[in-house]
Amino acid sequence: NAGVMQNPRHLVRRRGQEARLRCSPMKGHSHVYWYRQLPEEGLKFMVYLQKENIIDESGMPKERFSAEFPKEGPSILRIQQVVRGDSAAYFCASSPRAILSQETQYFGPGTRLLVL
Amino acid sequence: AQSVSQHNHHVILSEAASLELGCNYSYGGTVNLFWYVQYPGQHLQLLLKYFSGDPLVKGIKGFEAEFIKSKFSFNLRKPSVQWSDTAEYFCAGRFSGGYNKLIFGAGTRLAVHP
């Protein structure tokens, strides 16, 4: 039973380029969450998606960041015109069901983004 | 505002020592609490979770945590640590009204020396 998959595991971009991070949830999971971990800090929530819907994007920066979870395929976190401050580990988590359920979020291995 | 705080950022112990990592949360409503562990180079793994019921929760690898509502705390404990427990430990909360997002503490880095 495959866990949450993320790719790439490491991504190097120059300032101004675009970064696309992919997340495939566990089988049977329809809820995806993205978190960012800056150096020496804990994980910070970014966005919560269900298939084709953004449920909560309260943690997403207003500019340059977007996320989607299409009907088919993985969830994508897209960062346009990256800056050095975007360098971080980006973790995806998934869960089977919706809010207020006793479900656990299962985390992927993360994508470590380095902006030069 | 909802928040989770971990008091110890770095802890160094010798093998067989007892461990207690502090976690406090700030919120007056319903809360679910979690401890995750991140071994070097690996992803977060769930150690244990509290939703309701018995406030003393047993997890994997000999870890346990106690939910004390009056103190807004959910401290992690292990009676005797091993070198393999060297990792970073994160406390997280899911608060009612916050959709399903987890709010994490800053983490505690534990180093266990043989």
Side-chain angles (χ1 to χ4, degrees):
Chain A
N1 188 15
V4 179
M5 311 268 291
Q6 288 187 251
N7 65 81
R9 294 289 305 274
H10 299 273
L11 183 61
V12 180
R13 285 287 178 267
R14 297 192 180 278
R15 281 179 295 170
Q17 292 184 319
E18 178 180 288
R20 292 171 72 88
L21 287 62
R22 286 175 290 278
C23 169
S24 296
M26 286 179 71
K27 187 176 180 180
H29 288 194
S30 57
H31 298 258
V32 165
Y33 316 81
W34 286 94
Y35 294 84
R36 176 166 64 175
Q37 184 180 27
L38 294 170
E40 305 299 319
E41 294 187 20
L43 281 75
K44 297 285 195 293
F45 168 80
M46 299 182 75
V47 63
Y48 164 35
L49 310 102
Q50 295 177 33
K51 286 282 187 181
E52 300 184 282
N53 286 304
I54 295 175
I55 306 302
D56 179 4
E57 57 182 346
S58 58
M60 285 278 271
K62 298 301 180 193
E63 297 177 348
R64 302 187 297 107
F65 285 72
S66 62
E68 63 177 10
F69 188 17
K71 188 176 180 181
E72 301 291 338
S75 175
I76 307 287
L77 179 68
R78 182 181 176 206
I79 311 172
Q80 295 178 290
Q81 299 176 315
V82 296
V83 301
R84 288 216 174 108
D86 296 333
S87 295
Y90 292 82
F91 289 94
C92 171
S94 72
S95 70
R97 284 194 290 268
I99 58 172
L100 302 182
S101 68
Q102 293 196 356
E103 292 295 344
T104 301
Q105 294 181 23
Y106 295 90
F107 283 81
T111 294
R112 276 135 183 99
L113 172 65
L114 175 62
V115 180
L116 300 176
Chain B
Q2 302 156 350
S3 66
V4 174
S5 59
Q6 293 180 243
H7 318 297
N8 316 100
H9 294 289
H10 293 91
V11 173
I12 300 173
L13 294 173
S14 298
E15 275 192 319
S18 64
L19 170 72
E20 180 160 4
L21 301 182
C23 173
N24 286 90
Y25 66 93
S26 174
Y27 185 63
T30 301
V31 60
N32 303 146
L33 294 160
F34 306 81
W35 275 99
Y36 284 88
V37 60
Q38 187 177 30
Y39 298 102
Q42 296 188 27
H43 61 282
L44 274 76
Q45 300 175 37
L46 180 69
L47 274 179
L48 47 78
K49 58 187 176 183
Y50 172 79
F51 288 103
S52 62
D54 188 346
L56 185 60
V57 180
K58 304 282 187 185
I60 61 171
K61 307 188 180 191
F63 286 91
E64 65 177 31
E66 185 174 11
F67 172 60
I68 304 180
K69 191 173 182 180
S70 61
K71 295 185 178 179
F72 297 90
S73 70
F74 189 57
N75 292 355
L76 181 70
R77 299 193 292 248
K78 185 170 184 178
S80 176
V81 294
Q82 301 171 313
W83 176 79
S84 58
D85 293 323
T86 295
E88 189 156 18
Y89 293 80
F90 292 97
C91 181
R94 181 171 62 199
F95 303 95
S96 59
Y99 290 105
N100 215 15
K101 67 185 178 192
L102 294 177
I103 296 177
F104 282 84
T108 297
R109 291 196 174 178
L110 172 66
V112 179
H113 293 173

